[in-house]
Amino acid sequence: IMDVGTGWYHHEPFLLYLCGFSKFYLFDVVDKSKFVFIKNYLNGIIDNIDMISIELQIEKSEAINKINRLLSCNTKKEIYEICNFEIVITKNTDSLFLPENSVDLMVSNCVLNHIPLNILKPELKVLRKILKPDGYMHFLIGHDDHWTFHDLKMNKFQYYIYSDKYYKRFFETNFQFQNRLVKKELIDLFEECDLTIIKYFEHKNDISKNEINKIFHKLDSRFSKYSIDDLSIIHSYITMQK
């Protein structure tokens, strides 16, 4: 399994480790993980083990034992060895960094929406080569404006009212970047990368539709051609194959 954009504490790999999977590639362009972040996350799993064991359909006591073993480690390296985690750090994402046809499953948690399109497209083509012919990609993509996390009174889709030029000038920083790709743009991108969508689940609700309704008359021309249904998607869960 490859965690695409593994981030600070390897969210999916630890959960999949509890499910019995035994080999993981932790892929990212920068290694931001730290021992303290990982231990905090593992403690969070313990705190929520009742819910997690039900969701993952695993034995709770066995999962607790696995996590406690990891929490007893003194270094990040020890944890990686127990879980069979291999860190893969490279900024050369437009060329092969693992053998072709070598990974069964690729996962990511709100990562693809933070990658510029000119980098994301060649990266997806490389990931396709690394994926096994019968393998799967499963990506969670967040569509809500992450700047609004800092002001809960703001419309969660506020950034759809800005042009690309305006958004780049005032909102793209080293701290925060979103490519603002909506459903149709994502589907077109995956087709260009010769990926086949097996399942596309849209997380949206009446509240998110109402948020789009509030700003519909202000939408930038890039987004105004899309329906309220498409723009009100909060998260996309996408499963793909070659």
Side-chain angles (χ1 to χ4, degrees), residues 149-176:
F149 294 175
H150 308 285
D151 185 352
L152 298 181
K153 296 178 182 178
M154 294 292 294
N155 190 301
K156 70 173 61 180
F157 301 110
Q158 183 71 18
Y159 63 7
Y160 286 154
I161 72 174
Y162 305 120
S163 67
D164 288 336
K165 183 178 180 180
Y166 188 95
Y167 184 76
K168 182 175 183 178
R169 180 174 182 181
F170 291 102
F171 295 103
E172 287 186 13
T173 69
N174 291 332
F175 172 72
Q176 176 66 40

Side-chain angles (χ1 to χ4, degrees), residues 70-96:
L70 299 179
L71 287 170
S72 69
C73 294
N74 296 312
T75 66
K76 184 171 69 171
K77 183 180 178 182
E78 289 180 53
I79 292 176
Y80 285 5
E81 288 176 351
I82 291 172
C83 297
N84 205 8
F85 287 177
E86 181 177 332
I87 193 81
V88 180
I89 303 297
T90 178
K91 293 185 177 181
N92 299 320
T93 59
D94 57 349
S95 57
L96 278 174

